[in-house]
Amino acid sequence: MGEFILALRALKVGAGKPSLQELQRRSGVPRSTLADALNPRRRELPKLEVVLALVRACGGGAPEEQRWRAAWKRVAQATDGVRIQSAGTDPDAPLEPTAPTAPTAPAASGRNFLPPGPADFTAREKEVLSIIEAAGTTAEAGPALLAVDGMAGVGKTALAVHAGHRLAHLFPDGQYYLDLHAHTVGQDPVDPAAALDTLLRTHGRSADSIPAGLAERAAAWRAELADHRVLLVIDNAASAEQVRPLLPGSGGSLVLVTSRRRLVSLEGGRSLSLDLLSAADAVLLFQRVLGPRADAEPEAVAAIVELCGRLPLAIRIAAARLRHRSSWSVALLVERLSDERRRLGELATSDLAVAAAFQTSFNHLAWQEQRVFAQLGLVPGADVDARAVAALVGLRTDDAERSLEELLDAHLVEQLQADRYTLHDLLRIHSAAQAASLPEAERENALQQLFDHYRYSASIAMDAMFPHERHRRPEIKPPNGVTEEFTDRTAAVNWLDTERSNLVAASGLPGLPQHAIDLSAILARYLERGAHGKQALVLHERALRLARAAGDVVAEAGALRFIGLTHLQLRDYQSALAALEEAMAVLQEHGRKDSLAAVLNNLGAVHGLLGRLDQSLHHFEQALRLSRAEGDDSNEAIAVGNLGLIHRRQGRLEESLALNREALELQRRLGNTIGQSISLDNLGVTCRHLGRLDEALEHHRQALVLDREGNDRTGELITIDNLGLIHFLMGDHAAALARFEEAVTLSGQLEDRTSEGIALGNIGNVRREQGRTEEALQHHRTALDLIRAHDGTLNLAEALNNLGETLSALRTPEPALPLHNEALEIAETCGDPIETARSRDLLGRVQHQLGDQRAARELHALARAAYLRMGLPQAAALAARGCCP
């Protein structure tokens, strides 16, 4: 079906690409019907009368109509069975059964020297259409040229030959094929003069009439083609210089050139870079080559084409090997290909090999590009920029970039985004094999130069982001050669975000333990506040193993603390507690006080999140005393702010305000924007509890600006949710919902299920206030499920109360009762008087609905007394409802 439509489009192109309006005028068929018939995505065969009208409109006579009628019937029979009905045919007339062969366009005249097209040619519809479009430019504008480039094995020749056969009827004076052997094993590239000799002989010139010189032969070839319409496929070209003398000078010919290099200097033509197959097309190609056996193991087939990198040559080889090994399953070949060390060896037959195809491309490189390609096989990450390659190979940046661009033009590297270079999976394996052949000293030196570059660049990026903590990070001297430069915090954040995976991968390189230990300490704050917990654990746990092996107790305690902070960010509180307690034990055992205040602050945070508010308070007080005794301004500011948070959670709101203001001033003196944001956010929460909503809104707005300037995604999530709460209390439901929805999205990106549950619960509160209680109920149930699964403390008490309040609003108080009782137990156990008072307030409402007015009054009296003691506005609201005696 698809090829039939492509042939129709080619017919239109060959007729000079008349417009649909013109075709409507010639045929009498509506323009929309013609457009539909020519649509390459259509699923059904166009009606026969439409096809024949289109043939006549494109200048076809009776013989052409007959050929198209026969082609139409073959396609119809292949898709609909042996009986065909269409306008202009007798529905009862029998048709002889015909094998369901692929449809063909009308046969071409002239001499056809194209090799057979691959019978299992798959997909590439878009690329075939591009070639058809190029063919359409030959009628009046002279010869058309299209250069198809792509990596070895991507299917350039198959595409050109397949398209050539489809277009052959448009070029009645002949279809020529010439292999220039740029990358043929055991053969030198064909000299242009020799290529012209072959073409002239093929065209019919006698040997004694062919001139001797290149220029004369090129002129003779142009003269031969001047008044002809021929198709010329020039395959496997090495360069534009090799192709240029072979091009026609005039006439209506089409030249298709294939090359592994981008022939950017080939004038007057179009270019078409051939990409890998899509996953679906790769599977289809494998199925066509292997046959029915592929249908029995679809998952294994999908795995194989990915292991082949969706490269057609590799897919054909893998399928061919299976086709000739009846005892092998597809799953067995998956297992064999899964071993990277033998994968390229497996992708070979007696006359085809992926590795050999890659090697011929490598052999055509200049010495410096060969060296760059080989050393790229050492790179542990997924992609690199020119600066990293310059460090790796020991080049200037502009020289490294030139070499990378040469490799890009040769399709030995890919560029998925600007200024970033990567290798196809199979080429990565081939590059690694090239690297393995380098002297060991050269490999080790290259990797150290790369890691030196990464470590120093990360260090100065962190200096740009967190200058106030520079003295807490390892001091890294600049390496020889190329270094990064960061003009501002944004540039530093962008570099760290781009290189993060490469930095973590580099930490696993052997033989450079201090580099990995340093990188852990350098990146800790960025990874924590950016919520990159999984990668942080990989890096810090490597650093811990290396520090212990080196007997470096300070580095060991540091790595343990960073591991604890990461588990804290991931809300794995027990693991965080274990790591931090171990860090404190290491420091105390060796009499080290320089990091002890930081560990105490972190321990206090974990205990607070576990609902152990008294223990949290104790740790923060210890951290404050120690930091002041040691002159540690940074941890003093953190401890003061942490104490302000605990005082708020324990209901001492005025003390909380004073401490958070002090913390904010300390953080401003230090220039710690993260600390300032946290202090502002804490001030906003305390002001919200006290009913000072305008002040709270301003604090949170300032905090959000700092969060985003500092790429503090953890802080940003908290602040966004707090802003939503202020809008909700102010009665601006639309603004509140917008913030809560934003929080849901961000928590999903950070994989923070607890924060997602909190935001969903807040959306439920808004919906309940809007009277959409059924919708609110669904949000609260989802929120409770998330929080119960991921957080068992005060957030759980709040989620329980939210759901219970909505059930009460639905006049179903019975199921609300146990929810509020559970919330009350949690809040009392944690020592949180605010949530305790709220639990009693809501329990009183439930008891009122259930008819127990005495219990309701007692609970409301306790809640109101607590609200009054803490200075909260809920006391007046409770009294106004007449709920208290």
Side-chain angles (χ1 to χ4, degrees), residues 609-629:
L609 288 165
L610 285 169
R612 304 167 184 171
L613 302 187
D614 288 337
Q615 287 174 269
S616 178
L617 180 66
H618 173 67
H619 283 301
F620 290 149
E621 288 173 341
Q622 281 187 300
L624 182 59
R625 286 194 296 270
L626 182 58
S627 59
R628 283 176 172 168

Side-chain angles (χ1 to χ4, degrees), residues 805 837-838 840-846 848 856 859-860 863-864 867 873-885:
E805 188 171 0
R838 182 187 178 213
R840 286 177 173 147
D841 186 351
L842 295 171
L843 272 169
R845 297 185 201 182
V846 170
H848 176 73
L859 286 163
H860 282 147
R864 182 169 181 269
Y867 289 148
Q874 288 92 323
L878 195 56
R881 291 202 306 270
C883 300
C884 302

Side-chain angles (χ1 to χ4, degrees), residues 372-395:
V372 170
F373 179 79
Q375 293 200 15
L376 284 173
L378 300 170
V379 174
D383 63 357
V384 289
D385 65 4
R387 287 180 181 270
V389 172
L392 175 76
V393 187
L395 298 171

Side-chain angles (χ1 to χ4, degrees), residues 108-375:
S109 58
R111 293 163 294 181
N112 189 327
F113 298 100
L114 298 177
D120 50 21
F121 184 84
T122 302
R124 303 299 194 194
E125 291 89 353
K126 181 179 178 181
E127 291 82 0
V128 171
L129 283 174
S130 294
I131 295 174
I132 291 173
E133 291 289 330
T137 66
T138 62
E140 299 177 358
L145 169 64
L146 189 142
V148 181
D149 59 75
M151 68 181 289
V154 80
K156 301 177 294 296
T157 301
L159 172 65
V161 172
H162 173 82
H165 282 294
R166 303 312 311 159
L167 294 170
H169 66 287
L170 300 179
F171 300 96
D173 298 319
Q175 302 88 44
Y176 296 87
Y177 174 85
L178 182 64
D179 188 345
L180 295 183
H181 295 296
H183 300 93
T184 303
V185 178
Q187 293 196 45
D188 293 329
V190 176
D191 178 77
L196 285 165
D197 181 78
T198 299
L199 288 171
L200 287 165
R201 288 171 184 266
T202 303
H203 193 64
R205 291 283 289 264
S206 61
D208 57 2
S209 69
I210 296 175
L214 173 61
E216 291 78 8
R217 288 183 178 182
W221 175 240
R222 290 193 295 272
E224 290 286 345
L225 299 186
D227 298 318
H228 291 75
R229 284 179 61 83
V230 303
L231 171 67
L232 174 59
V233 176
I234 301 174
D235 194 20
N236 202 3
S239 65
E241 289 73 19
Q242 189 186 26
V243 172
R244 199 173 286 116
L246 314 182
L247 301 179
S250 60
S253 298
L254 171 65
V255 182
L256 301 179
V257 182
T258 76
S259 177
R260 295 186 190 179
R261 294 189 60 83
R262 290 181 172 87
L263 303 181
V264 293
S265 61
L266 195 58
E267 304 87 350
R270 305 183 187 185
S271 63
L272 175 63
S273 291
L274 203 55
D275 204 349
L276 302 168
L277 292 172
S278 69
D281 288 340
V283 167
L284 182 58
L285 174 60
F286 187 91
Q287 291 169 333
R288 287 182 174 176
V289 177
L290 178 58
R293 283 172 58 194
D295 298 336
E297 300 178 78
E299 293 182 0
V301 170
I304 274 190
V305 300
E306 291 303 324
L307 288 168
C308 291
R310 292 186 271 118
L311 183 70
L313 174 62
I315 293 168
R316 289 180 184 279
I317 291 172
R321 292 195 70 197
L322 276 174
R323 193 175 62 219
H324 294 287
R325 288 163 176 79
S326 58
S327 62
W328 283 21
S329 66
V330 182
L332 175 62
L333 187 55
V334 170
E335 182 181 343
R336 295 171 72 96
L337 290 174
S338 295
D339 184 350
E340 280 197 2
R341 295 169 298 178
R342 59 189 290 186
R343 188 177 304 167
L344 288 179
E346 292 286 342
L347 294 174
T349 63
S350 58
D351 61 341
L352 286 175
V354 173
F358 291 165
Q359 189 62 36
T360 56
S361 293
F362 178 81
N363 291 340
H364 280 75
L365 297 173
W367 175 82
Q368 181 163 293
E369 281 69 55
Q370 287 186 344
R371 183 165 166 251
V372 170
F373 179 79
Q375 293 200 15

Side-chain angles (χ1 to χ4, degrees), residues 528-848:
E528 175 208 350
R529 302 309 298 181
H532 307 298
K534 293 178 181 178
Q535 290 173 307
L537 280 181
V538 171
L539 176 60
H540 299 324
E541 286 173 353
R542 281 175 181 161
L544 177 61
R545 290 192 295 271
L546 294 169
R548 283 173 171 166
D552 187 339
V553 295
V554 174
E556 178 186 359
L560 283 166
R561 188 170 84 84
F562 301 145
I563 290 169
L565 281 171
T566 304
H567 283 303
L568 179 62
Q569 180 249 312
L570 293 171
R571 297 187 184 272
D572 182 356
Y573 302 138
Q574 294 302 328
S575 295
L577 196 62
L580 291 167
E581 287 176 342
E582 189 175 357
M584 188 164 69
V586 170
L587 291 170
Q588 290 174 334
E589 180 184 349
H590 294 86
R592 302 299 300 248
K593 293 184 178 181
D594 44 351
S595 300
L596 197 54
V599 176
L600 287 165
N601 267 321
N602 301 148
L603 276 168
V606 176
H607 281 294
L609 288 165
L610 285 169
R612 304 167 184 171
L613 302 187
D614 288 337
Q615 287 174 269
S616 178
L617 180 66
H618 173 67
H619 283 301
F620 290 149
E621 288 173 341
Q622 281 187 300
L624 182 59
R625 286 194 296 270
L626 182 58
S627 59
R628 283 176 172 168
E630 296 291 321
D632 184 348
D633 295 340
S634 178
N635 273 296
E636 178 188 358
I638 293 170
V640 170
N642 287 336
L643 283 168
L645 184 150
I646 291 299
H647 278 291
R648 185 195 78 225
R649 292 182 67 180
Q650 292 186 323
R652 296 182 291 274
L653 300 182
E654 291 300 333
E655 293 92 329
S656 173
L657 279 179
L659 286 164
N660 281 314
R661 286 173 181 144
E662 182 184 354
L664 178 60
E665 182 58 32
L666 290 170
Q667 298 289 12
R668 282 173 172 162
R669 288 180 199 166
L670 292 169
N672 181 356
T673 55
I674 286 180
Q676 292 171 48
S677 170
I678 292 171
S679 297
L680 285 163
D681 220 33
N682 286 334
L683 277 168
V685 174
T686 304
C687 287
R688 184 187 81 224
H689 281 304
L690 291 169
R692 293 152 63 170
L693 300 184
D694 290 333
E695 290 178 63
L697 184 63
E698 183 57 29
H699 289 317
H700 291 314
R701 282 175 172 167
Q702 291 180 35
L704 186 60
V705 170
L706 293 172
D707 290 332
R708 288 176 171 168
E709 285 179 353
N711 194 43
D712 184 356
R713 303 187 80 199
T714 299
E716 180 182 2
L717 176 55
I718 295 169
T719 305
I720 287 170
D721 196 73
N722 283 328
L723 277 167
L725 290 171
I726 301 301
H727 290 306
F728 176 51
L729 292 172
M730 287 179 160
D732 188 346
H733 292 169
L737 284 173
R739 287 300 186 184
F740 294 144
E741 293 287 358
E742 191 178 354
V744 169
T745 300
L746 184 53
S747 60
Q749 293 171 358
L750 302 185
E751 299 182 15
D752 185 344
R753 298 306 172 215
T754 296
S755 292
E756 183 181 355
I758 292 169
L760 287 171
N762 287 330
I763 291 173
N765 290 339
V766 177
R767 292 308 188 199
R768 183 182 63 238
E769 190 70 16
Q770 292 175 328
R772 297 161 64 171
T773 45
E774 289 292 345
E775 191 175 340
L777 185 65
Q778 184 58 47
H779 278 98
H780 285 315
R781 282 176 171 158
T782 303
L784 180 58
D785 289 343
L786 285 170
I787 293 173
R788 197 183 287 281
H790 298 282
D791 192 318
T793 57
L794 288 175
N795 291 318
L796 178 57
E798 184 176 352
L800 289 162
N801 278 329
N802 285 340
L803 178 56
E805 188 171 0
T806 297
L807 288 168
S808 293
L810 286 165
R811 303 297 178 185
T812 53
E814 292 84 358
L817 188 64
L819 297 173
H820 293 314
N821 277 324
E822 185 182 353
L824 177 60
E825 182 181 356
I826 292 171
E828 287 184 316
T829 301
C830 293
D832 185 332
I834 296 177
E835 200 63 35
T836 297
R838 182 187 178 213
S839 301
R840 286 177 173 147
D841 186 351
L842 295 171
L843 272 169
R845 297 185 201 182
V846 170
Q847 294 293 4
H848 176 73

